[in-house]
Amino acid sequence: MQDAQKDIASLLPEELTAALRDMGEAPFRAKQVGDWLKKGVWDFGEMRNLPAALRSRLAEEFHLTPPRVLRKQVSQADGTVKYLWGLGDGNAVESVVMRYSYGNTVCISSQAGCRQGCVFCASTGLGFKRDLTAGEMLSEVLFSQMDSGMPVTGIVLMGIGEPLENYKQVIRFLRLVNHPQGMNIGMRHISLSTCGLVPEIRRLAEEDLQLTLSVSLHAPDDETRKTIMPIARKFDIETLIDACADYFKRTQRRISFEYALIRGVNDAPWQAEKLAALLRRTHGHLNLIPLNRVEGSSLIPGDAKSFAEMLKKLGVNVTVRRRLGADIDAACGQLRRKEAT
Ligand code: SAH
């Protein structure tokens, strides 16, 4: 793994200034470097307003590798753009830029691969490789925006990986992308999705960030949840919902629960009732996702419209998520670490 101090793209502006000060450089040099990074010039040799000697010293002290576009797909249906990015060490991850009426949102990956093993998700199929650094996550946002020409106003950490398992780098990424001297993306325009790591949800509550937390629930009862999400064996629903209720109390930010509807698994009326009770306890909102088909899986989508009706009658605040980029396998649960060969 890479040493965070040496990874220049992961440094906050004030840390960059300190690092250059330690090299005997004036603050305006840090500003110049920061400006190049922000423009996507991720090659010290091309930072033309720096003296040649400084450029080569920077190249010795730090590593900096821009992600390479290994594949780009544009949805004919809705203009969604999906990238497969090649990282410095040969790993690859996907990001997706989605067009909404209120602006463009990029969905980024937080790990190369995933170890959570949810049975309905393609991201888990090729195993886990490593955590991404904050700078790599930032590069997904910056380079997706630059290459697509679509200005990004929102971010969702809903791509490959479990963001709360890569806690430190994810928090660093949030501070980087939110920084006024950086991309300056508002916390309220950022969502982070977790499969439900309870200690980290509690820790996140203490960070005082105005982001939106999404929790992948997918079943209101332990028995069902354990059959589709291995994490459910570690934390039962009671423990998870307690943490979510406390999260709301502390942050006053409503949690958005994700629920991919699977026919015959989690779409029964008694499950709708149980789900409604859980949501009341947390003051949460339900995001119903029509299950996306994943190769090699026999699970089939449930009827989202009628399940949503059932929930509404029970007083649940529910929306059915739109499927963007389905024709290019860019929808929820369809992102993979690498193209299957
Ligand atoms: N590891 C995090 C981040 C992934 S977010 C998490 O689990 O929340 C991706 C969202 O898409 C999660 O809610 C995930 O459960 C959901 N998802 C995965 N596979 C899906 C599928 N085949 N159809 C619909 N949603 C899916």
Side-chain angles (χ1 to χ4, degrees):
M1 258 303 295
Q2 296 158 347
D3 171 355
Q5 260 336 99
K6 296 282 179 188
D7 176 15
I8 198 165
S10 291
L11 297 184
L12 289 156
E14 47 276 20
E15 293 170 332
L16 183 62
T17 307
L20 265 81
R21 195 200 311 116
D22 291 347
M23 293 169 69
E25 297 294 333
F28 80 97
R29 290 295 183 202
K31 168 98 174 46
Q32 287 174 322
V33 174
D35 287 345
W36 287 116
L37 293 177
K38 211 161 119 177
K39 273 193 265 183
V41 176
W42 283 30
D43 178 346
F44 296 117
E46 285 177 27
M47 299 185 176
R48 292 188 309 271
N49 54 3
L50 304 182
L54 177 56
R55 282 186 248 163
S56 46
R57 280 181 60 214
L58 286 170
E60 282 164 24
E61 291 272 330
F62 300 104
H63 62 77
L64 180 62
T65 319
R68 273 191 316 127
V69 180
L70 297 182
R71 190 194 54 215
K72 175 181 179 180
Q73 288 165 280
V74 182
S75 162
Q76 295 304 309
D78 52 45
T80 297
V81 186
K82 180 167 86 164
Y83 290 100
L84 179 69
W85 296 112
L87 306 176
D89 67 346
N91 274 299
V93 293
E94 290 187 318
S95 324
V96 179
V97 193
M98 296 162 292
R99 213 189 285 270
Y100 291 102
S101 53
Y102 48 82
N104 303 313
T105 292
V106 60
C107 173
I108 64 158
S109 299
S110 55
Q111 297 179 316
C114 187
R115 49 160 78 100
Q116 299 304 322
C118 301
V119 298
F120 45 80
C121 182
S123 299
T124 224
L126 296 163
F128 174 79
K129 277 291 171 183
R130 67 168 172 88
D131 286 331
L132 299 193
T133 66
E136 285 172 326
M137 289 180 256
L138 180 73
S139 79
E140 292 182 67
V141 181
L142 181 63
F143 287 85
S144 295
Q145 167 171 282
M146 287 199 328
D147 187 273
S148 68
M150 294 157 76
V152 166
T153 51
I155 301 172
V156 294
L157 281 133
M158 296 191 181
I160 302 162
E162 169 47 50
L164 293 187
E165 201 184 59
N166 185 12
Y167 192 87
K168 271 177 76 176
Q169 290 299 315
V170 163
I171 296 292
R172 173 170 280 276
F173 159 73
L174 294 170
R175 301 205 189 281
L176 263 180
V177 80
N178 175 243
H179 202 287
Q181 288 166 44
M183 292 190 78
N184 199 12
I185 295 182
M187 281 292 175
R188 286 176 179 260
H189 300 281
I190 301 179
S191 293
L192 182 156
S193 181
T194 177
C195 64
L197 304 188
V198 168
E200 285 76 15
I201 291 175
R202 295 195 170 280
R203 196 168 157 199
L204 186 66
E206 304 294 315
E207 307 273 355
D208 276 328
L209 300 173
Q210 292 293 301
L211 54 74
T212 300
L213 179 63
S214 295
V215 173
S216 296
L217 190 59
H218 302 313
D221 57 291
D222 286 314
E223 204 186 327
T224 308
R225 198 162 186 264
K226 278 183 198 160
T227 64
I228 53 178
M229 300 179 74
I231 192 70
R233 289 182 222 138
K234 197 158 172 196
F235 305 109
D236 61 19
I237 289 178
E238 194 57 31
T239 312
L240 174 60
I241 294 297
D242 269 353
C244 292
D246 288 346
Y247 184 94
F248 177 72
K249 247 185 249 155
R250 161 88 204 208
T251 63
Q252 288 299 304
R253 304 281 301 159
R254 269 180 208 285
I255 294 181
S256 170
F257 290 90
E258 291 155 291
Y259 199 97
L261 203 63
I262 314 172
R263 196 196 297 176
V265 174
N266 61 4
D267 62 348
W270 68 268
Q271 286 166 317
E273 276 172 34
K274 209 160 174 169
L275 183 55
L278 295 179
L279 288 164
R280 268 194 293 278
R281 267 175 64 193
T282 57
H283 303 272
H285 168 265
L286 192 78
N287 216 320
L288 198 58
I289 318 174
L291 182 79
N292 292 306
R293 297 306 296 266
V294 167
E295 224 184 277
S297 158
S298 55
L299 301 175
I300 40 181
D303 179 352
K305 227 178 119 192
S306 61
F307 198 71
E309 283 312 314
M310 253 189 266
L311 289 171
K312 276 183 199 156
K313 284 195 190 117
L314 294 163
V316 173
N317 185 348
V318 52
T319 45
V320 179
R321 184 176 287 178
R322 277 174 61 208
R323 295 176 77 221
L324 291 177
D327 58 331
I328 53 169
D329 280 354
C332 297
Q334 296 184 314
L335 302 189
R336 307 168 67 93
R337 178 163 65 80
K338 239 187 186 142
E339 185 74 314
T341 45

